[in-house]
Amino acid sequence: MNNFKHQQQEFLPISVNVTGKKLLIVGAGKAALSKVRSLRRFNVSITVIGIKIDPAFLEIDNIHIIHKSYDPSDLDDFFMVYACTDNRHTNEIIREHCHARNILVNLADNPRLSDFISPAVYQEEDLTIAVGSNGKNVKQSIMIRENIKKNSGPDLTGYLSLEKTSLNGEKNRDRSQKPFVPKVILAGFGPGDPELMTLKTHRYLLAADIIFHDALVDSRFLEHYPARKIAVGKRCGQHHIQQVEINQLLVSAALSGKKVVRLKGGDPLIFGRAGEELQFLAENNIDVKIVPGITSAFAAAAQYGIPLTHREIGSSVAFCVGHNIAERELPQASTLVFYMGARQQCEISNILIKKGWNKNTPVALISNVSNPQSKVVISQLDQLCQHPLLQETPLLIIVGQVVKKMPEFEEIAPRTEKKKKHIFAV
Ligand SMILES: C[S@@+](CC[C@H](N)C(=O)[O-])C[C@H]1O[C@@H](n2cnc3c(N)ncnc32)[C@H](O)[C@@H]1O
């Protein structure tokens, strides 16, 4: 081994099967934190041992944190070890202990003495791109990885050409001259089924450091993204979180230099209180880029085959708030789609009839659009105060003659509930 000590280090790029393996991180400071963040997306068991534990560890799920000083017996049973203490000498001792046990070890502060190093990895499903520099130019590897990440898509050729421009330096020189501008990406997740999310939103989520998401967003699916996730929706069990607090969180995260995505269900500009967030961010000189999403009304129409407009019976469509409608002006449109009206079905019916809508106007109540548990109930305006109607949420109410054009209208009207399988809109 000693013969190799002063030679140029070479690392063989291989992909190690770590499924279910136990990984140990000794040290609980910033270096350890960054290792944990990159390892978390793998199906491994991570244990962290340290005396001074960085508070950020407490926000990370599914890791074992042991508050104690290091002892060689801690290494037993571990597949790989990361020596991440802030003491170079201690890391070298851990290395010796690992070698005595034939355990591969990485020294956070010393690639030369490490048995393995981690390249900057970009991963999307089964595609993995690893950028390494034999531990010599980590920053450059990360920069190339970030470029790939930002520009990746189903077509690899796009980002390969981009990588070339990065390597010859042109693009990067431009970037480094730009002053730091804090930024928030306001993106739509679509109605629930992740397949209905746009590729652009997906790319921003991949590149994000932090994702603030609301309750209509599938939080399990978000686990695919390495960013820290913060649920700020009213239905996320965070009833106490007020809009002003969300605004403040967005501003602080953007000012701290993080890549921030504010992710909303459906389209962010439809009943998403985006107006208030946009205004607050603008007042704090934070740039906002908006990425649209498929609003739930479009997804409902697609899933159940209801044309929202129709050449003969539906020349216009309006999206309306379902609550307090007595106090609001009703739009003059052939089709009305009510959001947030699950508990106001009777009120909607009474007011529309009072305002001159025919009591026989067909109505579709549609819950959980694009999710497997989605249901549809077909009724008519004067029946909305009767039971049993659909109370499940989230719920949309589509009112208008166009509902009759739904392929199964005759079969399921009136007031029969039917579970329906997905009809994907894409
Ligand atoms: C605060 S609004 C947000 C709307 C969202 N920005 C959009 O474009 O769909 C929430 C309301 O949207 C509707 N909604 C959102 N997702 C839905 C879904 N998957 N199924 C049915 N309704 C949904 C419901 O009316 C719910 O009360």
Side-chain angles (χ1 to χ4, degrees):
M1 195 91 173
N2 274 347
N3 293 342
F4 300 112
K5 205 168 175 182
H6 301 291
Q7 287 183 9
Q8 147 103 15
Q9 305 299 306
E10 284 187 318
F11 291 90
L12 172 72
I14 55 169
S15 297
V16 179
N17 182 352
V18 288
T19 318
K21 294 280 193 287
K22 290 173 70 181
L23 310 185
L24 176 68
I25 294 175
V26 186
K30 294 278 179 253
L33 195 60
S34 114
K35 289 285 178 225
V36 169
R37 286 193 172 132
S38 58
L39 291 169
R40 273 185 73 225
R41 60 205 162 88
F42 297 94
N43 182 6
V44 289
S45 152
I46 303 175
T47 301
V48 177
I49 290 180
I51 322 175
K52 270 192 269 161
I53 303 199
D54 190 297
F57 273 107
L58 306 179
E59 290 163 17
I60 301 179
D61 305 327
N62 292 329
I63 54 169
H64 313 283
I65 301 175
I66 305 178
H67 188 215
K68 72 183 273 297
S69 55
Y70 164 74
D71 181 275
S73 64
D74 294 331
L75 303 173
D76 294 341
D77 299 334
F78 283 96
F79 177 66
M80 279 181 352
V81 170
Y82 292 82
C84 297
T85 74
D86 52 11
N87 184 312
R88 226 181 153 87
H89 180 61
T90 310
N91 289 343
E92 287 178 19
I93 291 175
I94 296 170
R95 174 179 182 263
E96 278 170 26
H97 294 159
C98 285
H99 286 178
R101 289 165 170 76
N102 288 325
I103 299 173
L104 293 178
V105 60
N106 167 275
L107 277 64
D109 52 2
N110 199 337
R112 203 176 57 80
L113 290 186
S114 297
D115 299 323
F116 65 95
I117 52 173
S118 306
V121 170
Y122 170 71
Q123 196 165 29
E124 199 170 329
E125 296 179 1
D126 286 335
L127 171 76
T128 302
I129 297 175
V131 187
S133 60
N134 273 348
K136 286 185 186 152
N137 198 338
V138 176
K139 271 192 187 153
Q140 188 197 34
S141 304
I142 292 176
M143 198 182 70
I144 294 173
R145 190 265 316 271
E146 290 302 307
N147 271 329
I148 293 171
K149 196 168 162 186
K150 273 188 211 134
N151 296 283
S152 69
D155 179 6
L156 260 178
T157 51
Y159 59 70
L160 288 180
S161 61
L162 186 118
E163 195 184 355
K164 270 189 208 139
T165 45
S166 309
L167 283 171
N168 73 22
E170 291 299 318
K171 219 168 172 157
N172 299 322
R173 257 204 302 282
D174 286 342
R175 271 198 198 149
S176 62
Q177 281 161 11
K178 279 191 192 159
F180 164 68
V181 181
K183 192 170 181 176
V184 168
I185 308 296
L186 176 61
F189 183 73
D193 176 356
E195 291 201 34
L196 293 179
M197 178 175 72
T198 66
L199 255 183
K200 192 162 251 188
T201 292
H202 167 66
R203 284 185 200 172
Y204 278 115
L205 291 175
L206 272 179
D209 296 315
I210 185 157
I211 301 169
F212 293 96
H213 64 93
D214 68 18
L216 291 172
V217 173
D218 184 339
S219 52
R220 275 164 315 158
F221 177 76
L222 291 185
E223 287 309 315
H224 288 100
Y225 301 103
R228 184 173 162 213
K229 292 99 190 161
I230 301 188
V232 292
K234 299 235 162 38
R235 299 192 322 145
C236 290
Q238 309 244 1
H239 292 274
H240 56 279
I241 195 149
Q242 302 292 319
Q243 189 60 49
V244 280
E245 293 175 69
I246 299 174
N247 295 348
Q248 276 298 354
L249 284 172
L250 292 173
V251 168
S252 320
L255 289 179
S256 72
K258 296 219 161 49
K259 293 190 201 117
V260 184
V261 175
R262 171 69 173 112
L263 187 63
K264 289 174 181 278
D267 180 86
L269 301 184
I270 301 275
F271 304 130
R273 300 190 70 169
E276 283 135 281
E277 288 173 22
L278 288 175
Q279 187 183 338
F280 193 78
L281 291 165
E283 283 165 7
N284 285 277
N285 299 317
I286 290 169
D287 274 9
V288 180
K289 181 175 169 67
I290 304 174
V291 184
I294 295 179
T295 189
S296 46
F298 290 161
Q303 183 166 353
Y304 292 102
I306 301 172
L308 292 176
T309 60
H310 188 281
R311 202 157 50 88
E312 286 132 28
I313 53 171
S315 58
S316 55
V317 56
F319 296 160
C320 321
V321 180
H323 49 76
N324 302 333
I325 71 160
E327 297 153 26
R328 300 178 203 273
E329 208 174 313
L330 266 186
Q332 299 285 325
S334 344
T335 309
L336 302 182
V337 184
F338 288 96
Y339 290 66
M340 295 173 284
R343 272 169 265 292
Q344 275 73 34
Q345 296 171 30
C346 186
E347 190 196 1
I348 290 171
S349 148
N350 289 337
I351 301 234
L352 289 189
I353 293 171
K354 209 164 127 199
K355 300 240 170 153
W357 281 69
N358 189 316
K359 61 185 174 52
N360 297 326
T361 310
V363 176
L365 304 166
I366 300 173
S367 69
N368 287 297
V369 171
S370 88
N371 291 316
Q373 70 273 29
S374 181
K375 285 184 192 160
V376 61
V377 170
I378 301 299
S379 184
Q380 59 181 46
L381 260 188
D382 65 351
Q383 300 292 316
L384 289 191
C385 296
Q386 312 295 317
H387 287 280
L389 290 179
L390 191 55
Q391 292 289 344
E392 289 169 21
T393 58
L395 182 93
L396 285 168
I397 303 167
I398 304 182
V399 182
Q401 295 303 326
V402 290
V403 171
K404 285 190 176 155
K405 296 290 173 189
M406 178 179 170
E408 287 131 318
F409 180 78
E410 296 303 336
E411 196 191 316
I412 62 173
R415 277 179 297 134
T416 48
E417 194 174 288
K418 189 174 177 187
K419 251 196 166 175
K420 210 161 175 286
K421 274 185 88 177
H422 275 205
I423 302 170
F424 285 112
V426 288

